[in-house]
Amino acid sequence: MKKYSVASLGLTVVTGNHTPTVGIPQLLLGSGHVNDNEQDVIVEEDVWIGTGVTLLAGAHLGRGAVIGAKSLITAKSMVPPYAVVVGCPSRIVAAKFTIDQIVKHEEKLYAPEERYTREELDEIFKRYFEGKKTMGIDYNLSEAEEAKYHKWMEKTGLWI
């Protein structure tokens, strides 16, 4: 789980599985580590994982994704950056922000070489978010809020 990401209560992460094998009872597959299929689970930056989510072996959550409560994410799910995903099986229901909001968001969080380009974001939106709504808002912080936010980021070492 990378920087800025957070999970709510009840997250389950399963990094292994066992392939059914002729002649070996299911009881022995796990404890005997027969035909183990181990895969990492990757959670990129700035991901919000709702309560009761299950991430199975090979799941990969893209930067800025939002995973709705009780969702099941498998290796086949491959959650793209800034996707809002819900359900069992999971499906994309929205984009977290518009492209302009993502550009503004990333300017505040990431060094220039870490940010998505507008061209990359255009491709992501064309591929995954055609006809989908966005859920995020643009909020202008007051000077006091901005100062508090900056102080917290510096204190936690998360400031770029």
Side-chain angles (χ1 to χ4, degrees):
M1 185 177 282
K2 297 183 182 178
K3 66 183 176 181
Y4 310 131
S5 292
V6 64
S8 188
L9 299 173
L11 171 63
T12 301
V13 179
V14 180
T15 59
N17 204 344
H18 314 286
T19 304
T21 305
V22 173
I24 301 175
Q26 191 66 39
L27 173 70
L28 299 178
L29 283 176
S31 61
H33 298 286
V34 176
N35 294 322
D36 283 351
N37 181 11
E38 303 288 330
Q39 291 181 294
D40 289 338
V41 169
I42 299 170
V43 179
E44 298 291 350
E45 302 91 356
D46 196 30
V47 173
W48 164 245
I49 301 172
T51 189
V53 168
T54 300
L55 305 176
L56 296 182
H60 188 158
L61 311 183
R63 177 190 288 176
V66 175
I67 312 302
K70 298 289 188 178
S71 293
L72 173 66
I73 311 297
T74 67
K76 293 178 182 175
S77 300
M78 294 305 290
V79 177
Y82 293 98
V84 179
V85 174
V86 300
C88 180
S90 63
R91 66 192 183 290
I92 299 169
V93 296
K96 182 177 181 177
F97 298 127
T98 66
I99 291 174
D100 288 338
Q101 288 172 325
I102 293 170
V103 168
K104 185 176 177 181
H105 181 72
E106 292 207 348
E107 285 174 357
K108 292 181 179 277
L109 296 183
Y110 304 107
E113 65 276 5
E114 296 176 326
R115 298 176 196 155
Y116 281 108
T117 65
R118 186 168 286 277
E119 292 77 23
E120 289 170 321
L121 292 171
D122 284 338
E123 187 58 38
I124 290 167
F125 269 69
K126 191 183 308 178
R127 184 170 180 191
Y128 297 106
F129 304 131
E130 190 79 27
K132 301 238 187 298
K133 63 182 180 175
T134 58
M135 67 171 265
I137 62 167
D138 220 342
Y139 176 75
N140 294 318
L141 299 173
S142 68
E143 285 185 30
E145 289 171 322
E146 188 80 31
K148 182 178 176 181
Y149 170 72
H150 282 246
K151 186 176 181 179
W152 181 85
M153 292 290 280
E154 289 171 352
K155 181 180 176 182
T156 59
L158 294 174
W159 197 251
I160 59 169

